[in-house]
C-alpha cells in the first residue's frame, strides 16, 4: 500500500501541483510591470517550463533507490519503462540527468543576476545570446550527467548478482530483469569498484562544483549590491536584494531535498551503512517535490508577488480583473 502511494499516487499529486503552481507563477511574472523584471522574466519562464517537463518525466519514470551492504542501486518503479531494455535504460538515465539540468537552471540564473547588476548588454539588447548560452549550459549538464550514468554508472552483471538476493527480498523480482544504475564499493572486482568510485566521484564533483559556483556568485553579487546602494536608488537596490534572496531560496530547496539525500545514498554504502527503507521512500519522493515547491518559495520570497497573493486571498477576483493595477496598488 505504501509503495502505491510513493511510486504511483505521489508523482501524480506532485505533477498536478506543478501544473497548478507554475502557470500562476508565470502569470504573476508577465502581469507585473515589465520594467521591474526586464528579460529576467524569460529566464523565469524557462525555469517554469523546465519544472513542468520535470514533473511529467517524474510521473512516467518514477525512481526507487535502495542500498545493500557495500552497494547502492537505483531502478525504475512502475510505469512503462520498468523492464530491462536498452531504450528503457536510456529513459531512466535521462530522468536522472534532469536532476543535473536543474543545477544548470540555477547557475544561469546566478550568472544573469551577476550580469544584470553590472549592466551587461547580454541582459538587454543581446539577451538572445544569453538564452542560447543558457540552453547550451543545460544541454551540457544533461549530457555530462547522462554519460556518467550510462558508462561507469550502469550496473554490470557483478552488481546484479551481488544484489540479487536482496532485490528478490525487497521487490519480489529478479535483478536481471530490471534496468539498474548502481555502485559497489567493496566485495567486488577491481574493475567494478573502480567504475563505482569513478561514477560517484564524478556525480559528486559536478554537484559540488555547481554549488561552489552558486555561493561564489552569490557572495560576489552581495558585495556589489552593497556598493550599489551608494549610487542606485533605495527602491532599485532593495528590489535587486529581493531577487537575490528569492534565488538563494530557489537554490537551497533542491540542495536540501535532492542533493543532500543523494549524498547519503551514495556514500553510506562505503561504510556498509544500510539506510532504512523509510529513508529510501523519502528520497524517492523528495526528488519530485521541488518542481512545485520552488515556484511557491520564490513567489513568497518576493514582496511584490507575496502582496499580490495575499490581496487575491482577500479579494479572489483581483487576480483576473485588476492585473497590473492590483500590483501597483499592492507594492506602493
Amino acid at each position: 500500500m505504501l509503495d502505491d502511494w510513493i511510486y504511483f499516487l505521489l508523482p501524480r499529486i506532485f505533477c498536478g501541483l506543478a501544473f497548478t503552481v507554475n502557470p500562476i507563477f508565470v502569470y504573476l511574472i508577465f502581469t507585473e510591470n515589465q520594467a521591474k523584471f526586464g528579460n529576467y522574466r524569460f529566464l523565469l519562464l524557462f525555469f517554469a517550463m523546465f519544472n513542468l517537463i520535470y514533473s511529467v518525466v517524474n510521473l512516467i519514470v518514477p525512481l526507487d533507490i535502495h542500498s545493500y551492504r557495500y552497494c547502492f542501486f537505483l531502478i525504475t518503479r512502475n510505469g512503462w519503462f520498468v523492464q530491462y531494455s536498452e531504450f528503457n535504460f536510456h529513459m531512466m538515465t535521462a530522468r536522472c540527468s534532469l536532476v543535473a539540468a536543474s543545477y544548470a537552471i540555477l547557475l544561469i540564473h546566478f550568472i544573469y543576476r551577476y550580469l544584470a547588476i553590472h549592466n551587461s548588454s547580454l541582459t538587454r539588447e543581446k539577451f538572445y545570446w544569453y538564452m542560447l548560452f543558457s540552453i547550451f549550459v543545460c544541454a551540457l549538464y544533461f549530457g555530462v550527467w547522462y554519460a556518467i550514468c550510462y558508462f561507469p554508472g550502469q550496473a554490470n552483471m557483478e552488481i546484479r548478482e551481488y544484489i540479487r538476493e536482496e532485490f528478490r527480498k525487497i521487490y519480489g523480482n529478479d535483478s536481471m530483469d530490471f534496468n539498474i544504475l548502481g555502485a559497489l564499493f567493496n566485495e567486488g572486482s577491481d574493475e567494478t569498484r573502480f567504475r563505482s568510485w569513478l561514477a560517484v566521484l564524478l556525480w559528486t564533483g559536478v554537484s559540488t562544483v555547481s554549488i561552489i559556483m552558486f555561493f561564489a556568485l552569490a557572495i560576489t553579487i552581495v558585495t556589489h549590491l552593497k556598493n550599489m546602494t551608494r549610487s542606485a536608488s533605495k527602491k532599485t537596490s532593495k528590489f535587486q536584494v529581493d531577487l537575490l534572496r528569492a534565488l538563494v531560496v530557489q537554490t537551497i530547496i533542491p540542495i536540501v531535498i535532492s542533493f543532500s539525500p543523494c549524498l547519503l545514498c551514495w556514500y553510506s554504502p562505503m561504510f556498509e551503512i544500510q539506510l532504512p527503507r523509510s529513508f529510501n521512500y523519502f528520497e524517492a519522493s523528495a526528488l519530485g517535490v521541488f518542481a512545485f515547491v520552488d515556484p511557491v518559495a520564490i513567489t513568497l520570497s518576493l514582496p511584490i508577488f507575496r502582496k499580490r497573493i495575499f490581496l487575491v486571498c482577500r479579494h479572489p477576483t483581483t487576480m483576473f480583473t485588476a492585473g497590473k493595477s492590483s500590483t501597483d496598488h499592492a507594492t506602493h
Side-chain angles (χ1 to χ4, degrees):
M1 182 61 183
L2 185 57
D3 280 10
D4 290 339
W5 265 97
I6 300 298
Y7 304 107
F8 183 80
L9 292 176
L10 280 184
R12 283 158 175 75
I13 293 172
F14 293 159
C15 187
L17 289 171
F19 271 81
T20 300
V21 168
N22 283 282
I24 295 174
F25 176 64
V26 171
Y27 177 83
L28 289 171
I29 294 166
F30 281 87
T31 55
E32 185 56 59
N33 188 340
Q34 183 177 341
K36 284 185 178 292
F37 286 94
N39 288 325
Y40 189 53
R41 58 200 175 126
F42 295 107
L43 270 187
L44 292 173
L45 174 62
F46 187 27
F47 164 70
M49 291 174 62
F50 174 84
N51 287 339
L52 297 180
I53 293 171
Y54 185 94
S55 297
V56 171
V57 175
N58 183 60
L59 174 63
I60 63 177
V61 192
L63 300 177
D64 189 9
I65 304 167
H66 188 67
S67 59
Y68 169 66
R69 293 179 62 81
Y70 293 101
C71 176
F72 84 86
F73 59 90
L74 181 149
I75 64 170
T76 304
R77 285 292 299 275
N78 302 327
W80 303 322
F81 309 103
V82 172
Q83 295 303 313
Y84 179 77
S85 75
E86 186 71 12
F87 177 77
N88 289 350
F89 183 75
H90 282 296
M91 289 298 296
M92 182 173 69
T93 303
R95 164 68 182 86
C96 296
S97 301
L98 281 178
V99 177
S102 67
Y103 293 131
I105 295 287
L106 294 171
L107 179 60
I108 62 177
H109 279 250
F110 273 106
I111 295 174
Y112 183 94
R113 293 258 52 83
Y114 176 84
L115 294 173
I117 62 174
H118 286 84
N119 201 28
S120 170
S121 61
L122 288 172
T123 63
R124 293 179 283 105
E125 59 269 17
K126 295 182 181 179
F127 179 70
Y128 59 92
W129 284 114
Y130 190 78
M131 282 304 301
L132 288 174
F133 166 75
S134 301
I135 294 170
F136 169 76
V137 171
C138 288
L140 179 64
Y141 265 74
F142 184 93
V144 168
W145 201 272
Y146 193 98
I148 299 170
C149 291
Y150 189 80
F151 294 106
Q154 185 171 184
N156 59 15
M157 291 300 294
E158 184 177 8
I159 293 178
R160 291 172 181 275
E161 286 286 356
Y162 185 84
I163 64 173
R164 199 168 192 176
E165 183 179 343
E166 175 75 2
F167 197 95
R168 195 179 299 277
K169 174 183 172 183
I170 297 296
Y171 303 109
N173 291 289
D174 192 339
S175 59
M176 300 298 172
D177 298 331
F178 284 73
N179 301 292
I180 302 175
L181 286 169
L184 178 61
F185 302 107
N186 203 352
E187 300 181 335
S189 66
D190 290 342
E191 179 186 354
T192 297
R193 287 187 288 111
F194 173 77
R195 286 182 45 167
S196 299
W197 280 96
L198 178 63
V200 170
L201 290 177
L202 287 173
W203 285 328
T204 305
V206 171
S207 304
T208 304
V209 168
S210 301
I211 292 171
I212 290 172
M213 286 192 290
F214 298 159
F215 284 104
L217 284 167
I219 291 171
T220 303
I221 293 168
V222 168
T223 302
H224 189 83
L225 285 176
K226 288 180 180 178
N227 298 328
M228 181 179 169
T229 54
R230 303 190 188 104
S231 56
S233 67
K234 184 177 180 181
K235 187 175 181 180
T236 300
S237 59
K238 182 180 183 304
F239 185 63
Q240 291 295 333
V241 170
D242 290 339
L243 287 174
L244 179 61
R245 184 186 301 113
L247 181 55
V248 170
V249 171
Q250 180 185 354
T251 304
I252 289 174
I253 290 173
I255 291 176
V256 171
I257 67 179
S258 64
F259 179 60
S260 299
C262 283
L263 278 183
L264 283 173
C265 182
W266 294 341
Y267 285 93
S268 58
M270 294 179 183
F271 308 99
E272 201 181 358
I273 299 173
Q274 175 115 18
L275 297 174
R277 278 298 286 167
S278 57
F279 182 84
N280 300 141
Y281 287 144
F282 166 77
E283 184 172 7
S285 303
L287 288 174
V289 166
F290 79 87
F292 75 87
V293 171
D294 248 9
V296 171
I298 297 170
T299 300
L300 296 178
S301 297
L302 288 172
I304 56 173
F305 288 165
R306 186 168 64 244
K307 290 175 182 178
R308 285 183 68 181
I309 292 295
F310 292 158
L311 185 63
V312 169
C313 290
R314 292 194 297 269
H315 307 286
T317 58
T318 302
M319 176 72 79
F320 304 101
T321 59
K324 293 180 183 178
S325 62
S326 68
T327 307
D328 296 337
H329 174 74
T331 55
H332 280 75

